Amino acid sequence: MPGIGPRTAQRLALHLLRQPEEQIRSFADALLAARTEVGHCQTCHHLSAEPTCEICRNPERANGQICVVADSRDLLALERTREFSGHYHVLGGLISPMDGIGPDLLQISSLVKRVAANNTEEVILALTPSVEGDTTSLYVARLLKPFTRVSRIAYGLPVGSELEYADDVTLSRALEGRRSME
Amino acid sequence: MPGIGPRTAQRLALHLLRQPEEQIRSFADALLAARTEVGHCQTCHHLSAEPTCEICRNPERANGQICVVADSRDLLALERTREFSGHYHVLGGLISPMDGIGPDLLQISSLVKRVAANNTEEVILALTPSVEGDTTSLYVARLLKPFTRVSRIAYGLPVGSELEYADDVTLSRALEGRRSME
């Protein structure tokens, strides 16, 4: 399992062996239930125990905005900020020819169908600032442009950082992405 | 001296004592020369041995843009990116009422005079994303707006970072500062 080396694994195993059998049984049941019951939302492909996830079911979140993320972890990070109140779309990864991941393996065509069928005012691409993220952003933006306004989150200096210690690429992006002060 | 603790200080002192006297004499002279000869550029207040610094003297850099930074270290960081080919203005710090640093202690009025007197097309504020940086940006932008276009560098996700690990404030800024994809 990720982040668990041989020593931690041994400590966890010995701890489990010391617990009452009843507790281990309910733990095993919970694991199995999680695996069998949690699937993906039919609309946005976020993790969900129901066919449609809580966010997609919430009528207050239908504000015409769809935020596109690579996976459910990114969605949860954005939810923590409480800054975004629209819907999401989880691609399930990023386009990466080196790893054999083409657009067909991602939830891109379902996104285009969704945007074309609904009254989507804006699609916000929230993908990581990397070669794969940029490639995916450009690809998705080109497909969506006939149907809606497309924007992407800002790349630049993180809050609390020092200009002096920023890497050159980030600094270049921050200069290039400068905004007019209203 | 910053970054030098008692142990390093002792190691450096003992090393110096082992060098030939002539070498120490020229080292001492160089230190004194640096201290007496390096002053500030009259125009942009960057460190300079001449009354006007190399960047201000370079006619090819007169492109109508002035990039405003807090101090010379930030200017050097931006120079390393080779992304900016205009002039600079070094404020000498940021407005910080908590530390008793008001606008009068910084090179703000000289910036306004410089912008008003020259044909400045754009002023780019490259200050750190912090309370002091934001305060200074807003203050300077208000003063400059009658004379020129004012922009600030982008705040958001640094290049190569993961959305999942970004702090909430940076993520909020990245969402808020999203850009339309052309």
Side-chain angles (χ1 to χ4, degrees):
Chain A
M1 294 189 186
I4 299 193
R7 276 154 180 271
T8 308
Q10 180 179 307
R11 191 165 56 232
L12 292 176
L14 293 175
H15 173 80
L16 289 176
L17 291 177
R18 277 199 305 273
Q19 305 307 308
E21 190 182 330
E22 199 36 56
Q23 208 165 331
I24 297 299
R25 196 178 304 275
S26 80
F27 182 42
D29 288 347
L31 276 178
L32 195 65
R35 181 64 190 84
T36 52
E37 282 168 30
V38 175
H40 293 95
C41 168
Q42 288 168 350
T43 311
C44 75
H45 310 283
H46 180 38
L47 295 174
S48 171
E50 317 276 329
T52 304
C53 76
E54 227 174 293
I55 297 174
C56 286
R57 280 203 311 267
N58 184 347
E60 282 175 23
R61 299 199 59 147
N63 69 351
Q65 290 183 324
I66 295 180
C67 183
V68 175
V69 293
D71 60 35
S72 282
R73 283 174 304 182
D74 297 340
L75 186 158
L76 295 171
L78 284 164
E79 279 297 278
R80 276 198 297 274
T81 68
R82 297 168 190 272
E83 197 71 24
F84 180 69
S85 53
H87 286 144
Y88 290 94
H89 193 90
V90 180
L91 294 181
L94 296 172
I95 296 172
S96 173
M98 299 275 285
D99 304 312
I101 304 175
D104 308 345
L105 292 175
L106 306 174
Q107 295 292 350
I108 292 180
S109 60
S110 65
L111 171 65
V112 177
K113 266 185 223 139
R114 190 177 160 195
V115 168
N118 293 285
N119 239 341
T120 307
E121 280 169 34
E122 183 181 9
V123 170
I124 303 168
L125 302 173
L127 306 176
T128 53
S130 62
V131 176
E132 291 81 14
D134 289 352
T135 307
T136 312
S137 290
L138 288 172
Y139 183 87
V140 172
R142 220 182 34 212
L143 290 179
L144 292 181
K145 227 165 275 177
F147 307 109
T148 185
R149 205 163 73 233
V150 184
S151 62
R152 64 156 183 74
I153 55 166
Y155 301 155
L157 286 188
V159 174
S161 72
E162 295 285 337
L163 213 85
E164 186 192 346
Y165 300 122
D167 63 288
D168 294 359
V169 191
T170 296
L171 219 44
S172 300
R173 286 273 201 140
L175 259 179
E176 183 194 308
R178 64 183 182 271
R179 300 182 69 194
S180 169
M181 296 203 43
E182 300 305 322
Chain B
M1 296 192 187
I4 299 193
R7 275 152 181 273
T8 309
Q10 180 179 307
R11 190 165 57 232
L12 292 176
L14 292 176
H15 174 80
L16 289 176
L17 291 177
R18 276 199 306 272
Q19 304 306 306
E21 190 183 330
E22 199 36 53
Q23 209 167 329
I24 297 300
R25 194 176 305 273
S26 80
F27 182 42
D29 287 347
L31 277 179
L32 195 66
R35 181 64 190 82
T36 52
E37 283 168 29
V38 176
H40 292 94
C41 169
Q42 289 168 349
T43 310
C44 74
H45 309 285
H46 181 36
L47 295 174
S48 171
E50 317 275 329
T52 304
C53 77
E54 230 174 291
I55 297 173
C56 287
R57 279 204 311 268
N58 185 348
E60 283 175 22
R61 298 198 60 147
N63 69 350
Q65 291 183 325
I66 295 179
C67 182
V68 175
V69 293
D71 61 36
S72 282
R73 282 174 305 183
D74 296 340
L75 185 157
L76 294 171
L78 284 164
E79 280 297 279
R80 275 198 298 273
T81 69
R82 298 167 189 271
E83 198 69 24
F84 180 69
S85 53
H87 286 145
Y88 290 95
H89 193 91
V90 179
L91 295 181
L94 295 172
I95 296 173
S96 174
M98 298 274 285
D99 303 310
I101 304 177
D104 308 345
L105 292 176
L106 305 173
Q107 296 294 348
I108 292 179
S109 60
S110 66
L111 171 64
V112 178
K113 266 185 220 140
R114 192 179 159 195
V115 168
N118 294 283
N119 238 339
T120 307
E121 280 168 35
E122 182 181 10
V123 170
I124 302 168
L125 302 173
L127 307 176
T128 53
S130 61
V131 177
E132 291 81 14
D134 287 352
T135 308
T136 312
S137 289
L138 287 172
Y139 183 87
V140 171
R142 219 181 37 210
L143 290 178
L144 292 181
K145 228 166 273 174
F147 308 108
T148 186
R149 205 163 74 233
V150 184
S151 62
R152 65 156 183 73
I153 55 167
Y155 301 155
L157 286 190
V159 173
S161 71
E162 296 285 337
L163 213 87
E164 185 192 347
Y165 300 123
D167 63 287
D168 293 359
V169 190
T170 296
L171 219 43
S172 300
R173 287 274 200 140
L175 259 181
E176 183 195 309
R178 65 183 181 272
R179 301 181 68 195
S180 169
M181 296 206 40
E182 299 304 323

PDB file of all heavy atoms in Angstrom, chain B residues 124-154:
ATOM      1  N   ILE B 124       4.486  47.013 -14.184  1.00  0.00           N
ATOM      2  CA  ILE B 124       4.168  45.656 -13.724  1.00  0.00           C
ATOM      3  C   ILE B 124       4.598  45.529 -12.273  1.00  0.00           C
ATOM      4  O   ILE B 124       5.789  45.645 -11.961  1.00  0.00           O
ATOM      5  CB  ILE B 124       4.910  44.607 -14.575  1.00  0.00           C
ATOM      6  CG1 ILE B 124       4.539  44.767 -16.051  1.00  0.00           C
ATOM      7  CG2 ILE B 124       4.600  43.194 -14.086  1.00  0.00           C
ATOM      8  CD1 ILE B 124       5.431  43.973 -16.988  1.00  0.00           C
ATOM      9  N   LEU B 125       3.659  45.323 -11.362  1.00  0.00           N
ATOM     10  CA  LEU B 125       4.003  45.176  -9.945  1.00  0.00           C
ATOM     11  C   LEU B 125       4.373  43.725  -9.672  1.00  0.00           C
ATOM     12  O   LEU B 125       3.544  42.828  -9.838  1.00  0.00           O
ATOM     13  CB  LEU B 125       2.816  45.610  -9.085  1.00  0.00           C
ATOM     14  CG  LEU B 125       2.352  47.057  -9.321  1.00  0.00           C
ATOM     15  CD1 LEU B 125       1.064  47.339  -8.551  1.00  0.00           C
ATOM     16  CD2 LEU B 125       3.437  48.037  -8.924  1.00  0.00           C
ATOM     17  N   ALA B 126       5.625  43.495  -9.292  1.00  0.00           N
ATOM     18  CA  ALA B 126       6.087  42.130  -8.996  1.00  0.00           C
ATOM     19  C   ALA B 126       6.435  42.061  -7.516  1.00  0.00           C
ATOM     20  O   ALA B 126       7.599  41.985  -7.140  1.00  0.00           O
ATOM     21  CB  ALA B 126       7.292  41.765  -9.870  1.00  0.00           C
ATOM     22  N   LEU B 127       5.403  42.107  -6.665  1.00  0.00           N
ATOM     23  CA  LEU B 127       5.613  42.074  -5.214  1.00  0.00           C
ATOM     24  C   LEU B 127       5.115  40.742  -4.669  1.00  0.00           C
ATOM     25  O   LEU B 127       4.281  40.083  -5.284  1.00  0.00           O
ATOM     26  CB  LEU B 127       4.882  43.241  -4.558  1.00  0.00           C
ATOM     27  CG  LEU B 127       5.232  44.616  -5.164  1.00  0.00           C
ATOM     28  CD1 LEU B 127       4.413  45.719  -4.530  1.00  0.00           C
ATOM     29  CD2 LEU B 127       6.723  44.913  -5.015  1.00  0.00           C
ATOM     30  N   THR B 128       5.630  40.321  -3.514  1.00  0.00           N
ATOM     31  CA  THR B 128       5.275  39.005  -2.977  1.00  0.00           C
ATOM     32  C   THR B 128       3.790  38.931  -2.623  1.00  0.00           C
ATOM     33  O   THR B 128       3.203  39.917  -2.200  1.00  0.00           O
ATOM     34  CB  THR B 128       6.074  38.690  -1.689  1.00  0.00           C
ATOM     35  OG1 THR B 128       5.891  39.765  -0.778  1.00  0.00           O
ATOM     36  CG2 THR B 128       7.531  38.515  -1.981  1.00  0.00           C
ATOM     37  N   PRO B 129       3.185  37.736  -2.784  1.00  0.00           N
ATOM     38  CA  PRO B 129       1.779  37.555  -2.429  1.00  0.00           C
ATOM     39  C   PRO B 129       1.645  37.433  -0.903  1.00  0.00           C
ATOM     40  O   PRO B 129       1.606  36.346  -0.375  1.00  0.00           O
ATOM     41  CB  PRO B 129       1.393  36.241  -3.112  1.00  0.00           C
ATOM     42  CG  PRO B 129       2.619  35.761  -3.828  1.00  0.00           C
ATOM     43  CD  PRO B 129       3.782  36.517  -3.330  1.00  0.00           C
ATOM     44  N   SER B 130       1.602  38.580  -0.204  1.00  0.00           N
ATOM     45  CA  SER B 130       1.457  38.595   1.253  1.00  0.00           C
ATOM     46  C   SER B 130       0.645  39.836   1.597  1.00  0.00           C
ATOM     47  O   SER B 130       0.335  40.637   0.717  1.00  0.00           O
ATOM     48  CB  SER B 130       2.835  38.694   1.902  1.00  0.00           C
ATOM     49  OG  SER B 130       3.473  39.893   1.508  1.00  0.00           O
ATOM     50  N   VAL B 131       0.294  40.003   2.864  1.00  0.00           N
ATOM     51  CA  VAL B 131      -0.492  41.177   3.263  1.00  0.00           C
ATOM     52  C   VAL B 131       0.273  42.446   2.882  1.00  0.00           C
ATOM     53  O   VAL B 131      -0.286  43.369   2.278  1.00  0.00           O
ATOM     54  CB  VAL B 131      -0.761  41.153   4.786  1.00  0.00           C
ATOM     55  CG1 VAL B 131      -1.503  42.412   5.207  1.00  0.00           C
ATOM     56  CG2 VAL B 131      -1.564  39.925   5.154  1.00  0.00           C
ATOM     57  N   GLU B 132       1.573  42.501   3.192  1.00  0.00           N
ATOM     58  CA  GLU B 132       2.369  43.693   2.902  1.00  0.00           C
ATOM     59  C   GLU B 132       2.479  43.919   1.382  1.00  0.00           C
ATOM     60  O   GLU B 132       2.365  45.044   0.913  1.00  0.00           O
ATOM     61  CB  GLU B 132       3.785  43.553   3.487  1.00  0.00           C
ATOM     62  CG  GLU B 132       3.845  43.593   4.998  1.00  0.00           C
ATOM     63  CD  GLU B 132       3.493  42.257   5.635  1.00  0.00           C
ATOM     64  OE1 GLU B 132       3.461  41.242   4.912  1.00  0.00           O
ATOM     65  OE2 GLU B 132       3.234  42.234   6.847  1.00  0.00           O
ATOM     66  N   GLY B 133       2.701  42.814   0.643  1.00  0.00           N
ATOM     67  CA  GLY B 133       2.825  42.937  -0.809  1.00  0.00           C
ATOM     68  C   GLY B 133       1.531  43.446  -1.435  1.00  0.00           C
ATOM     69  O   GLY B 133       1.542  44.319  -2.305  1.00  0.00           O
ATOM     70  N   ASP B 134       0.389  42.900  -0.953  1.00  0.00           N
ATOM     71  CA  ASP B 134      -0.905  43.307  -1.508  1.00  0.00           C
ATOM     72  C   ASP B 134      -1.200  44.769  -1.178  1.00  0.00           C
ATOM     73  O   ASP B 134      -1.683  45.526  -2.020  1.00  0.00           O
ATOM     74  CB  ASP B 134      -2.021  42.419  -0.948  1.00  0.00           C
ATOM     75  CG  ASP B 134      -1.968  41.015  -1.547  1.00  0.00           C
ATOM     76  OD1 ASP B 134      -1.170  40.812  -2.482  1.00  0.00           O
ATOM     77  OD2 ASP B 134      -2.703  40.143  -1.079  1.00  0.00           O
ATOM     78  N   THR B 135      -0.910  45.161   0.078  1.00  0.00           N
ATOM     79  CA  THR B 135      -1.142  46.555   0.495  1.00  0.00           C
ATOM     80  C   THR B 135      -0.336  47.496  -0.384  1.00  0.00           C
ATOM     81  O   THR B 135      -0.850  48.493  -0.896  1.00  0.00           O
ATOM     82  CB  THR B 135      -0.695  46.743   1.967  1.00  0.00           C
ATOM     83  OG1 THR B 135      -1.305  45.737   2.760  1.00  0.00           O
ATOM     84  CG2 THR B 135      -1.076  48.120   2.477  1.00  0.00           C
ATOM     85  N   THR B 136       0.957  47.174  -0.562  1.00  0.00           N
ATOM     86  CA  THR B 136       1.832  48.031  -1.352  1.00  0.00           C
ATOM     87  C   THR B 136       1.359  48.087  -2.801  1.00  0.00           C
ATOM     88  O   THR B 136       1.331  49.162  -3.407  1.00  0.00           O
ATOM     89  CB  THR B 136       3.280  47.510  -1.273  1.00  0.00           C
ATOM     90  OG1 THR B 136       3.608  47.256   0.096  1.00  0.00           O
ATOM     91  CG2 THR B 136       4.262  48.528  -1.831  1.00  0.00           C
ATOM     92  N   SER B 137       0.958  46.929  -3.365  1.00  0.00           N
ATOM     93  CA  SER B 137       0.480  46.898  -4.751  1.00  0.00           C
ATOM     94  C   SER B 137      -0.722  47.822  -4.929  1.00  0.00           C
ATOM     95  O   SER B 137      -0.780  48.613  -5.868  1.00  0.00           O
ATOM     96  CB  SER B 137       0.085  45.470  -5.158  1.00  0.00           C
ATOM     97  OG  SER B 137       1.225  44.659  -5.296  1.00  0.00           O
ATOM     98  N   LEU B 138      -1.695  47.722  -4.002  1.00  0.00           N
ATOM     99  CA  LEU B 138      -2.909  48.537  -4.129  1.00  0.00           C
ATOM    100  C   LEU B 138      -2.575  50.020  -4.014  1.00  0.00           C
ATOM    101  O   LEU B 138      -3.077  50.846  -4.780  1.00  0.00           O
ATOM    102  CB  LEU B 138      -3.924  48.132  -3.055  1.00  0.00           C
ATOM    103  CG  LEU B 138      -4.595  46.782  -3.295  1.00  0.00           C
ATOM    104  CD1 LEU B 138      -5.441  46.381  -2.097  1.00  0.00           C
ATOM    105  CD2 LEU B 138      -5.462  46.843  -4.549  1.00  0.00           C
ATOM    106  N   TYR B 139      -1.702  50.354  -3.038  1.00  0.00           N
ATOM    107  CA  TYR B 139      -1.324  51.752  -2.812  1.00  0.00           C
ATOM    108  C   TYR B 139      -0.641  52.329  -4.046  1.00  0.00           C
ATOM    109  O   TYR B 139      -1.017  53.396  -4.543  1.00  0.00           O
ATOM    110  CB  TYR B 139      -0.402  51.813  -1.590  1.00  0.00           C
ATOM    111  CG  TYR B 139       0.012  53.212  -1.206  1.00  0.00           C
ATOM    112  CD1 TYR B 139      -0.770  53.982  -0.352  1.00  0.00           C
ATOM    113  CD2 TYR B 139       1.195  53.763  -1.694  1.00  0.00           C
ATOM    114  CE1 TYR B 139      -0.386  55.268  -0.005  1.00  0.00           C
ATOM    115  CE2 TYR B 139       1.576  55.045  -1.356  1.00  0.00           C
ATOM    116  CZ  TYR B 139       0.778  55.792  -0.508  1.00  0.00           C
ATOM    117  OH  TYR B 139       1.161  57.059  -0.168  1.00  0.00           O
ATOM    118  N   VAL B 140       0.357  51.605  -4.569  1.00  0.00           N
ATOM    119  CA  VAL B 140       1.120  52.096  -5.726  1.00  0.00           C
ATOM    120  C   VAL B 140       0.220  52.178  -6.960  1.00  0.00           C
ATOM    121  O   VAL B 140       0.272  53.154  -7.716  1.00  0.00           O
ATOM    122  CB  VAL B 140       2.342  51.181  -5.983  1.00  0.00           C
ATOM    123  CG1 VAL B 140       3.012  51.531  -7.300  1.00  0.00           C
ATOM    124  CG2 VAL B 140       3.340  51.290  -4.835  1.00  0.00           C
ATOM    125  N   ALA B 141      -0.640  51.143  -7.142  1.00  0.00           N
ATOM    126  CA  ALA B 141      -1.515  51.127  -8.324  1.00  0.00           C
ATOM    127  C   ALA B 141      -2.425  52.347  -8.333  1.00  0.00           C
ATOM    128  O   ALA B 141      -2.639  52.976  -9.377  1.00  0.00           O
ATOM    129  CB  ALA B 141      -2.352  49.847  -8.337  1.00  0.00           C
ATOM    130  N   ARG B 142      -2.956  52.737  -7.158  1.00  0.00           N
ATOM    131  CA  ARG B 142      -3.860  53.889  -7.096  1.00  0.00           C
ATOM    132  C   ARG B 142      -3.143  55.166  -7.511  1.00  0.00           C
ATOM    133  O   ARG B 142      -3.691  56.006  -8.217  1.00  0.00           O
ATOM    134  CB  ARG B 142      -4.441  54.024  -5.694  1.00  0.00           C
ATOM    135  CG  ARG B 142      -5.899  54.424  -5.734  1.00  0.00           C
ATOM    136  CD  ARG B 142      -6.476  54.571  -4.350  1.00  0.00           C
ATOM    137  NE  ARG B 142      -5.503  55.145  -3.436  1.00  0.00           N
ATOM    138  CZ  ARG B 142      -5.474  54.876  -2.131  1.00  0.00           C
ATOM    139  NH1 ARG B 142      -6.331  54.043  -1.610  1.00  0.00           N
ATOM    140  NH2 ARG B 142      -4.578  55.440  -1.359  1.00  0.00           N
ATOM    141  N   LEU B 143      -1.881  55.308  -7.067  1.00  0.00           N
ATOM    142  CA  LEU B 143      -1.125  56.514  -7.401  1.00  0.00           C
ATOM    143  C   LEU B 143      -0.756  56.577  -8.885  1.00  0.00           C
ATOM    144  O   LEU B 143      -0.660  57.661  -9.463  1.00  0.00           O
ATOM    145  CB  LEU B 143       0.170  56.571  -6.574  1.00  0.00           C
ATOM    146  CG  LEU B 143       0.012  56.830  -5.078  1.00  0.00           C
ATOM    147  CD1 LEU B 143       1.368  56.811  -4.400  1.00  0.00           C
ATOM    148  CD2 LEU B 143      -0.662  58.181  -4.847  1.00  0.00           C
ATOM    149  N   LEU B 144      -0.521  55.392  -9.491  1.00  0.00           N
ATOM    150  CA  LEU B 144      -0.009  55.384 -10.870  1.00  0.00           C
ATOM    151  C   LEU B 144      -1.109  55.409 -11.922  1.00  0.00           C
ATOM    152  O   LEU B 144      -0.850  55.747 -13.079  1.00  0.00           O
ATOM    153  CB  LEU B 144       0.860  54.145 -11.098  1.00  0.00           C
ATOM    154  CG  LEU B 144       2.188  54.094 -10.341  1.00  0.00           C
ATOM    155  CD1 LEU B 144       2.927  52.821 -10.707  1.00  0.00           C
ATOM    156  CD2 LEU B 144       3.043  55.316 -10.670  1.00  0.00           C
ATOM    157  N   LYS B 145      -2.333  55.043 -11.517  1.00  0.00           N
ATOM    158  CA  LYS B 145      -3.378  54.849 -12.508  1.00  0.00           C
ATOM    159  C   LYS B 145      -3.644  56.075 -13.398  1.00  0.00           C
ATOM    160  O   LYS B 145      -3.917  55.916 -14.589  1.00  0.00           O
ATOM    161  CB  LYS B 145      -4.659  54.344 -11.845  1.00  0.00           C
ATOM    162  CG  LYS B 145      -5.211  53.157 -12.613  1.00  0.00           C
ATOM    163  CD  LYS B 145      -6.256  52.393 -11.852  1.00  0.00           C
ATOM    164  CE  LYS B 145      -5.638  51.338 -10.954  1.00  0.00           C
ATOM    165  NZ  LYS B 145      -6.641  50.678 -10.111  1.00  0.00           N
ATOM    166  N   PRO B 146      -3.526  57.318 -12.863  1.00  0.00           N
ATOM    167  CA  PRO B 146      -3.745  58.462 -13.754  1.00  0.00           C
ATOM    168  C   PRO B 146      -2.733  58.540 -14.899  1.00  0.00           C
ATOM    169  O   PRO B 146      -2.990  59.192 -15.908  1.00  0.00           O
ATOM    170  CB  PRO B 146      -3.576  59.670 -12.827  1.00  0.00           C
ATOM    171  CG  PRO B 146      -3.800  59.148 -11.456  1.00  0.00           C
ATOM    172  CD  PRO B 146      -3.338  57.723 -11.472  1.00  0.00           C
ATOM    173  N   PHE B 147      -1.561  57.904 -14.754  1.00  0.00           N
ATOM    174  CA  PHE B 147      -0.494  58.104 -15.729  1.00  0.00           C
ATOM    175  C   PHE B 147      -0.271  56.943 -16.691  1.00  0.00           C
ATOM    176  O   PHE B 147       0.238  57.131 -17.784  1.00  0.00           O
ATOM    177  CB  PHE B 147       0.836  58.373 -15.012  1.00  0.00           C
ATOM    178  CG  PHE B 147       0.743  59.477 -14.004  1.00  0.00           C
ATOM    179  CD1 PHE B 147       0.785  59.215 -12.642  1.00  0.00           C
ATOM    180  CD2 PHE B 147       0.601  60.793 -14.431  1.00  0.00           C
ATOM    181  CE1 PHE B 147       0.696  60.239 -11.728  1.00  0.00           C
ATOM    182  CE2 PHE B 147       0.507  61.828 -13.513  1.00  0.00           C
ATOM    183  CZ  PHE B 147       0.553  61.547 -12.154  1.00  0.00           C
ATOM    184  N   THR B 148      -0.613  55.722 -16.290  1.00  0.00           N
ATOM    185  CA  THR B 148      -0.237  54.569 -17.110  1.00  0.00           C
ATOM    186  C   THR B 148      -1.096  53.351 -16.783  1.00  0.00           C
ATOM    187  O   THR B 148      -1.909  53.380 -15.861  1.00  0.00           O
ATOM    188  CB  THR B 148       1.250  54.227 -16.880  1.00  0.00           C
ATOM    189  OG1 THR B 148       1.616  53.192 -17.794  1.00  0.00           O
ATOM    190  CG2 THR B 148       1.487  53.733 -15.466  1.00  0.00           C
ATOM    191  N   ARG B 149      -0.893  52.278 -17.564  1.00  0.00           N
ATOM    192  CA  ARG B 149      -1.555  51.004 -17.317  1.00  0.00           C
ATOM    193  C   ARG B 149      -0.789  50.294 -16.200  1.00  0.00           C
ATOM    194  O   ARG B 149       0.441  50.265 -16.208  1.00  0.00           O
ATOM    195  CB  ARG B 149      -1.472  50.169 -18.595  1.00  0.00           C
ATOM    196  CG  ARG B 149      -2.536  49.136 -18.745  1.00  0.00           C
ATOM    197  CD  ARG B 149      -2.655  48.652 -20.179  1.00  0.00           C
ATOM    198  NE  ARG B 149      -1.553  47.776 -20.544  1.00  0.00           N
ATOM    199  CZ  ARG B 149      -0.780  47.955 -21.600  1.00  0.00           C
ATOM    200  NH1 ARG B 149      -0.985  48.984 -22.410  1.00  0.00           N
ATOM    201  NH2 ARG B 149       0.207  47.127 -21.861  1.00  0.00           N
ATOM    202  N   VAL B 150      -1.498  49.716 -15.243  1.00  0.00           N
ATOM    203  CA  VAL B 150      -0.833  49.026 -14.131  1.00  0.00           C
ATOM    204  C   VAL B 150      -1.288  47.576 -14.095  1.00  0.00           C
ATOM    205  O   VAL B 150      -2.486  47.297 -14.174  1.00  0.00           O
ATOM    206  CB  VAL B 150      -1.164  49.694 -12.773  1.00  0.00           C
ATOM    207  CG1 VAL B 150      -0.378  49.029 -11.655  1.00  0.00           C
ATOM    208  CG2 VAL B 150      -0.857  51.180 -12.813  1.00  0.00           C
ATOM    209  N   SER B 151      -0.336  46.638 -14.000  1.00  0.00           N
ATOM    210  CA  SER B 151      -0.693  45.226 -13.868  1.00  0.00           C
ATOM    211  C   SER B 151       0.128  44.614 -12.744  1.00  0.00           C
ATOM    212  O   SER B 151       1.074  45.220 -12.256  1.00  0.00           O
ATOM    213  CB  SER B 151      -0.430  44.482 -15.181  1.00  0.00           C
ATOM    214  OG  SER B 151       0.940  44.532 -15.496  1.00  0.00           O
ATOM    215  N   ARG B 152      -0.282  43.438 -12.318  1.00  0.00           N
ATOM    216  CA  ARG B 152       0.540  42.734 -11.320  1.00  0.00           C
ATOM    217  C   ARG B 152       0.754  41.298 -11.778  1.00  0.00           C
ATOM    218  O   ARG B 152      -0.066  40.753 -12.520  1.00  0.00           O
ATOM    219  CB  ARG B 152      -0.097  42.781  -9.931  1.00  0.00           C
ATOM    220  CG  ARG B 152      -1.410  42.056  -9.805  1.00  0.00           C
ATOM    221  CD  ARG B 152      -1.671  41.649  -8.372  1.00  0.00           C
ATOM    222  NE  ARG B 152      -2.911  40.896  -8.274  1.00  0.00           N
ATOM    223  CZ  ARG B 152      -3.068  39.650  -8.693  1.00  0.00           C
ATOM    224  NH1 ARG B 152      -2.068  38.990  -9.230  1.00  0.00           N
ATOM    225  NH2 ARG B 152      -4.238  39.045  -8.587  1.00  0.00           N
ATOM    226  N   ILE B 153       1.872  40.681 -11.338  1.00  0.00           N
ATOM    227  CA  ILE B 153       2.172  39.313 -11.733  1.00  0.00           C
ATOM    228  C   ILE B 153       1.101  38.364 -11.190  1.00  0.00           C
ATOM    229  O   ILE B 153       0.398  38.698 -10.235  1.00  0.00           O
ATOM    230  CB  ILE B 153       3.560  38.865 -11.234  1.00  0.00           C
ATOM    231  CG1 ILE B 153       3.675  39.040  -9.723  1.00  0.00           C
ATOM    232  CG2 ILE B 153       4.662  39.626 -11.938  1.00  0.00           C
ATOM    233  CD1 ILE B 153       4.879  38.339  -9.143  1.00  0.00           C
ATOM    234  N   ALA B 154       1.016  37.179 -11.802  1.00  0.00           N
ATOM    235  CA  ALA B 154      -0.034  36.222 -11.439  1.00  0.00           C
ATOM    236  C   ALA B 154       0.294  35.500 -10.134  1.00  0.00           C
ATOM    237  O   ALA B 154       1.430  35.117  -9.892  1.00  0.00           O
ATOM    238  CB  ALA B 154      -0.193  35.193 -12.563  1.00  0.00           C
TER     239      ALA B 154
END
